[in-house]
Amino acid sequence: MAEVINMPRLSDTMEEGTVAKWLKKVGDKVEEGDILAEIETDKATMEFESFHEGTLLHIGIEEGDGAPVDSLLAIIGEEGEDISALLNGGGTPQEEKTAAPETKTEAPAPTEAAAAPAAIPEGVEIITMPRLSDTMEEGTVASWLKKVGDTVEEGDILAEIETDKATMEFESFYSGTLLHIGIQEGEGAPVDSLLAIIGPEGTDVDAVLKAQSGGGAAASAPKADTQEEKPQAEEPAKEQVSATPNGQRIFASPLAKKIAGDKGIDLAQVKGSGDNGRIVKKDVENYQPSKTAAPAVEKTAEASAPVAPISLPVGEESMEEVKNSTMRKVIAKRLGESKFSAPHYYLTIEVDMDNAKASRAQINNLPDTKVSFNDMVLKACAMALKKHPQVNTSWNGDTTIYKHHVHMGVAVAVDEGLVVPVIKFADQLSLTQLGTAVKDLAGRARNKKIKPDEMEGSTFTVSNLGMFGILEFTSIINQPNSAILSVGAIVDKPVVKNGEIVAGSTMKITLACDHRTVDGATGAQFLQTLRAYLENPVTMLA
């Protein structure tokens, strides 16, 4: 029976792999443990071993080509075996056997097994991971507010789910008893994964899970039995190989080999706990050298020790690996896509802020009025965008999209990373209205109460690190915008005015532009207009 070999997931972050080199060609005999190919992952190039014996009948990914995890990599089977059904239908050998049985006596068994869990009991509702934003691809359960066995009413909060933008409450649309939790707290899963099951108390959850899987478990059962029987038949041979390591191949996973190499552990001394004695990660991590070997090591160390003692610092290395939140992973993905797809360039100017400081002081003397310098920058940007529509655009391949509205994105730092609330129609708001909107959106963003649609649709973004004392910096464009403005701190320093050196206040601002849509001259003209508004704030009130 032919075995389908799929592109393996050789690292926790691997989404696709590239075949660097095939060590077997079609028609070659393959033994269990033979190296089939060298596969390049997102971290390293690793050897990929075969877990099956037979003849290499088909190669699905050629050298130098890449493909997602679980794509068809190769097929191993008996020489001359017909694999057309696997290639055309993309099915597994078990599916082929079910579709075209050779004997009539075996055919009814899988059919009956598949049909048994076909129907979900009445009143039972399957809850899947919801898509809570338009860019959400997976979610993480931050906390469950109900536990298995609790009664759930329609509208009750089931859980808090962390998306790529915020942590949001997820309500139940059904009433009943919480029968099953599919994703535990702190775990993530793709959209539409099984989240929970709600139904009448006493429902057989196992039957519901089988029905929800559509009979997949029953169909794959014969394959699992075959795989379990095969190692049992070959177990004595594998034990013999492990017992005589000299001149024999040591079976170990690529990760186990890497860890052993880093720690200087001889794999011949490690006993494997995997299938057929295969050495896996935990075997290497739990390996303890035998006591008899310790004296020899000590003697070698003593012999090589220098005559004069040297005082060296003694300490313990430590590190901590923290799982990335969904928000952090999406930030990394989005900013990476922006930086490596949009050709960035940067323009920096210095703005005289003396008039801005005086104007702000006068405005804030009014009753119930509070305006920040950031509000003044946002207002100036919104007005400058109306005069320079080329900056208020998006690249769309064969076309450029001109936005006739101004939706201002404001970068806000939160515990997990960075979010960008959007102030809609910012050009139509006054300074005080802008200030109120920013405070409201930023506050709810930090408290994780902001809605997904309040972080969508920006046409231009402002990032301000002046309050942290940063004098000048550059930002990565928030796609699909064509530009982002980086605002530094206001600095008191000597400046030249009317040919004399006097005390003054200046602020540096840097515009990052997408060169596909905004040329250098266009960006420079935008900054000139922006400086004119900031140096003469009264013009923004005209």
Side-chain angles (χ1 to χ4, degrees), residues 24-25 27-31 34 53-56 77-79:
K24 297 286 184 180
K25 61 180 183 294
D28 284 357
K29 295 292 183 183
V30 179
E31 299 293 332
D34 284 357
E53 296 181 352
T55 300
L56 183 57
E78 297 177 1
E79 187 172 0

Side-chain angles (χ1 to χ4, degrees), residues 51-69:
F51 298 96
H52 308 286
E53 296 181 352
T55 300
L56 183 57
L57 303 176
H58 175 74
I59 288 178
I61 305 172
E62 298 298 332
E63 285 187 1
D65 290 345
V69 169

Side-chain angles (χ1 to χ4, degrees), residues 257-316:
K257 291 179 182 177
K258 183 179 184 303
I259 296 175
D262 293 342
K263 293 186 175 182
I265 297 175
D266 182 5
L267 286 175
Q269 305 298 325
V270 181
K271 184 176 180 180
S273 62
D275 295 339
N276 306 320
R278 184 179 179 85
I279 299 172
V280 296
K281 174 184 175 184
K282 67 177 181 180
D283 300 325
V284 179
E285 291 179 336
N286 297 332
Y287 170 72
Q288 296 292 334
S290 60
K291 294 182 179 179
T292 57
V297 175
E298 291 173 1
K299 288 181 180 179
T300 303
E302 291 173 1
S304 61
V307 177
I310 299 175
S311 178
L312 297 175
V314 178
E316 181 179 351

Side-chain angles (χ1 to χ4, degrees), residues 371 423 428-438:
V371 171
I423 303 172
Q428 301 178 25
L429 300 178
S430 66
L431 283 171
T432 53
Q433 289 173 327
L434 278 171
T436 302
V438 170

Side-chain angles (χ1 to χ4, degrees), residues 141 368 465 483:
V141 177
D368 301 324
L465 293 179

Side-chain angles (χ1 to χ4, degrees), residues 84-135:
S84 58
L86 296 177
L87 296 175
N88 296 331
T92 64
Q94 292 302 323
E95 292 171 342
E96 181 185 6
K97 183 175 179 180
T98 305
E102 295 180 3
T103 60
K104 295 181 180 178
T105 56
E106 295 179 358
T111 303
E112 293 172 2
I120 295 177
E122 185 176 356
V124 174
E125 299 292 343
I126 305 295
I127 313 298
T128 58
M129 175 64 74
R131 186 183 300 276
L132 298 175
S133 75
D134 58 342
T135 59

Side-chain angles (χ1 to χ4, degrees), residues 165-235:
K165 295 182 176 178
T167 300
M168 306 177 66
E169 295 177 340
F170 177 58
E171 299 182 6
S172 173
F173 298 98
Y174 310 101
S175 298
T177 300
L178 183 57
L179 304 173
H180 174 75
I181 288 177
I183 305 171
Q184 300 302 319
E185 286 187 0
E187 293 181 353
V191 170
D192 295 331
S193 300
L194 175 62
L195 179 63
I197 298 177
I198 293 177
E201 187 175 1
T203 301
D204 185 354
V205 176
D206 290 339
V208 175
L209 292 174
K210 290 180 182 179
Q212 194 270 341
S213 66
S220 61
K223 182 175 181 179
D225 293 340
T226 304
Q227 291 177 338
E228 291 175 359
E229 292 171 6
K230 188 173 182 179
Q232 291 175 359
E234 297 181 359
E235 189 172 347

Side-chain angles (χ1 to χ4, degrees), residues 430-451:
S430 66
L431 283 171
T432 53
Q433 289 173 327
L434 278 171
T436 302
V438 170
K439 289 177 183 177
D440 174 55
L441 290 171
R444 287 193 286 117
R446 294 188 181 98
N447 295 328
K448 299 181 179 181
K449 300 299 182 183
I450 193 167
K451 300 176 183 177

